[in-house]
Amino acid sequence: MTADIEELQRRILHLEQANVDLTGQLEDRLAELDAARAANRELTRALNQTRS
Protein backbone atom coordinates (compact mmCIF):
# COMPACT_ATOMS: atom_id res chain seq x y z
CA MET A 1 0.00 0.00 0.00
CA THR A 2 2.87 2.35 0.76
CA ALA A 3 4.21 1.70 -2.73
CA ASP A 4 0.85 2.74 -4.18
CA ILE A 5 0.94 6.01 -2.24
CA GLU A 6 4.51 6.69 -3.35
CA GLU A 7 3.58 5.98 -6.96
CA LEU A 8 0.61 8.34 -6.72
CA GLN A 9 2.82 11.04 -5.18
CA ARG A 10 5.32 10.64 -8.03
CA ARG A 11 2.46 10.85 -10.52
CA ILE A 12 1.14 14.01 -8.85
CA LEU A 13 4.59 15.61 -8.98
CA HIS A 14 4.91 14.66 -12.64
CA LEU A 15 1.50 16.13 -13.48
CA GLU A 16 2.21 19.30 -11.51
CA GLN A 17 5.45 19.81 -13.43
CA ALA A 18 3.69 19.13 -16.73
CA ASN A 19 1.10 21.73 -15.75
CA VAL A 20 3.83 24.30 -15.02
CA ASP A 21 5.50 23.54 -18.35
CA LEU A 22 2.25 23.79 -20.31
CA THR A 23 1.28 27.00 -18.55
CA GLY A 24 4.63 28.50 -19.56
CA GLN A 25 4.13 27.38 -23.15
CA LEU A 26 0.65 28.89 -23.18
CA GLU A 27 1.97 32.20 -21.86
CA ASP A 28 4.63 32.20 -24.60
CA ARG A 29 2.05 31.51 -27.30
CA LEU A 30 -0.25 34.23 -25.97
CA ALA A 31 2.62 36.72 -26.06
CA GLU A 32 3.40 35.67 -29.64
CA LEU A 33 -0.26 36.05 -30.56
CA ASP A 34 -0.41 39.53 -29.02
CA ALA A 35 2.70 40.53 -30.97
CA ALA A 36 1.25 39.14 -34.21
CA ARG A 37 -2.01 41.00 -33.65
CA ALA A 38 -0.14 44.25 -33.01
CA ALA A 39 1.91 43.76 -36.18
CA ASN A 40 -1.24 43.01 -38.14
CA ARG A 41 -2.89 46.20 -36.87
CA GLU A 42 0.16 48.25 -37.88
CA LEU A 43 0.30 46.66 -41.32
CA THR A 44 -3.42 47.25 -41.83
CA ARG A 45 -3.02 50.91 -40.83
CA ALA A 46 -0.07 51.32 -43.16
CA LEU A 47 -1.98 49.71 -46.02
CA ASN A 48 -5.01 51.88 -45.42
CA GLN A 49 -2.87 55.04 -45.36
CA THR A 50 -1.26 54.23 -48.71
CA ARG A 51 -4.70 53.79 -50.27
CA SER A 52 -6.01 57.13 -49.03
Side-chain angles (χ1 to χ4, degrees):
M1 185 152 185
T2 301
D4 291 339
I5 292 171
E6 290 174 0
E7 178 61 28
L8 288 172
Q9 288 173 334
R10 281 192 295 273
R11 182 74 176 137
I12 289 168
L13 287 174
H14 174 77
L15 290 172
E16 286 174 341
Q17 185 58 52
N19 189 37
V20 168
D21 293 344
L22 289 171
T23 299
Q25 289 177 25
L26 177 58
E27 289 171 353
D28 291 345
R29 298 304 173 271
L30 289 172
E32 291 171 1
L33 180 57
D34 286 342
R37 286 177 172 159
N40 189 45
R41 282 191 299 273
E42 289 301 316
L43 289 170
T44 301
R45 273 192 213 109
L47 182 61
N48 287 337
Q49 287 176 356
T50 60
R51 289 183 177 180
S52 298

